[in-house]
Amino acid sequence: MANYITFFRFLLIFLAVPSILNQHHKLAFLLILLGALSDWLDGDTARKRNEVSNLGVLLDPFVDKVFVLSCLSAYLYLGQVSPYAFVLLLIRELYISFLRSLAVEKGYLMSASSLGKLKTFAEFTTLILLALGSPLGSPVLWFSVLLAYLSALDYTFNFFRRF
């Protein structure tokens, strides 16, 4: 069930991005909120139903990255997001994906850390604020960038401590 919820979030991207680009703010807000809630729900469901799987451990953060970066790229196109913040997040996400690939190659699945979860929460909060047209969207985005790099350091230290 949890992986189906994650896949549902992936499908939401194909509705959220056009709603952002076409500036349907209320619809964008609802779709982003639904994406954020589904991110919480899939993990909660997996833990409560004892459905935590290797696929879910890898799929959930991948879909989070695709959802957040796709929506941010739409806001970037509209000139509502700093290109510097976007590129910094993109680089971080590619780095973490690379690090996770190395870990899998060594037989280890890197689960999301507390800092990584906080970063994702801040990113979804950013998207919600942008959809609402709030001036807080940009500062929260930069806070997300800070959390992204703090969590990247945490993942890196944990990776090298393990291997």
Side-chain angles (χ1 to χ4, degrees):
M1 179 61 119
N3 289 338
Y4 291 115
I5 296 169
T6 303
F7 185 67
F8 171 74
R9 183 167 62 260
F10 179 76
L11 293 177
L12 284 176
I13 297 165
F14 299 98
L15 298 173
V17 170
S19 70
I20 294 166
L21 292 173
N22 292 312
Q23 300 187 41
H24 298 300
H25 305 294
K26 289 179 184 173
L27 181 58
F29 166 75
L30 290 172
L31 293 168
I32 292 166
L33 182 61
L34 193 55
L37 292 173
S38 73
D39 184 37
W40 168 78
L41 184 61
D42 62 4
D44 190 60
T45 300
R47 285 184 294 278
K48 284 184 177 173
R49 298 177 104 191
N50 201 23
E51 292 179 356
V52 176
S53 67
N54 291 348
L55 175 64
V57 168
L58 294 172
L59 186 64
D60 181 63
F62 170 77
V63 172
D64 288 345
K65 290 172 191 345
V66 175
F67 190 99
V68 168
L69 290 172
S70 295
C71 291
L72 283 176
S73 69
Y75 284 115
L76 177 66
Y77 178 80
L78 295 173
Q80 297 176 14
V81 166
S82 164
Y84 299 108
F86 178 81
V87 170
L88 285 170
L89 283 175
L90 178 64
I91 291 168
R92 184 270 187 197
E93 298 304 350
L94 292 172
Y95 168 71
I96 295 301
S97 293
F98 173 73
L99 197 62
R100 277 198 167 106
S101 296
L102 289 178
V104 166
E105 186 177 275
K106 295 178 181 282
Y108 172 64
L109 289 176
M110 287 176 51
S111 297
S113 70
S114 297
L115 270 175
K117 290 177 182 182
L118 182 59
K119 182 237 6 145
T120 302
F121 177 80
E123 288 172 335
F124 274 111
T125 301
T126 297
L127 293 176
I128 288 168
L129 291 169
L130 289 169
L132 293 172
S134 170
L136 295 175
S138 183
V140 176
L141 174 60
W142 281 106
F143 180 65
S144 299
V145 172
L146 174 64
L147 289 174
Y149 280 86
L150 289 174
S151 67
L153 283 173
D154 183 48
Y155 284 121
T156 302
F157 289 140
N158 287 332
F159 177 83
F160 285 109
R161 198 176 304 134
R162 186 165 185 92
F163 300 106

